[in-house]
Amino acid sequence: MILFKRKKEYTYPEFDRENQIPVLKCSICTGEKVACFRDKRTGHTEEIMYIRSQGDMQDFLSRYGLSEQEIKKEW
């Protein structure tokens, strides 16, 4: 029986400003938001984190050194 588990450490992928675009995917129906990075050449989207609150958004912005004006919104 395991009483105390180690907390998993999450690793976040690196952001390459030359080859990737920060994107915020938003759902019109449910209001869900997902922060992503889109590759400029291939168009492949890599989901980074689910945005539930303004605090999550600020965490994402500070982690990657971005501003809200730099993020492209998609519906």
Side-chain angles (χ1 to χ4, degrees), residues 7 9 12 23 27 37-38 60 67:
K7 202 173 197 179
E9 292 187 30
Y12 292 95
V23 176
S27 171
F37 294 136
R38 173 165 292 134
F60 174 72
S67 67

Side-chain angles (χ1 to χ4, degrees), residues 9-34:
E9 292 187 30
Y10 297 103
T11 58
Y12 292 95
E14 294 294 320
F15 174 53
D16 182 11
R17 289 188 180 269
E18 294 178 10
N19 298 321
Q20 293 178 324
I21 301 169
V23 176
L24 187 64
K25 289 172 135 182
C26 304
S27 171
I28 295 173
C29 300
T30 61
E32 291 180 340
K33 296 178 185 176
V34 178

Side-chain angles (χ1 to χ4, degrees), residues 3 5 7 13 17 22 24-25 30 32 34 36 41 45 47 49 51 53-54 56 61 63 67-68 72:
L3 295 177
K5 284 181 134 180
K7 202 173 197 179
R17 289 188 180 269
L24 187 64
K25 289 172 135 182
T30 61
E32 291 180 340
V34 178
C36 308
R41 290 172 285 153
T45 303
E47 294 183 353
M49 66 186 297
I51 307 294
S53 66
Q54 189 62 28
D56 289 341
L61 294 174
R63 182 179 312 271
S67 67
E68 288 197 38
K72 179 181 172 186

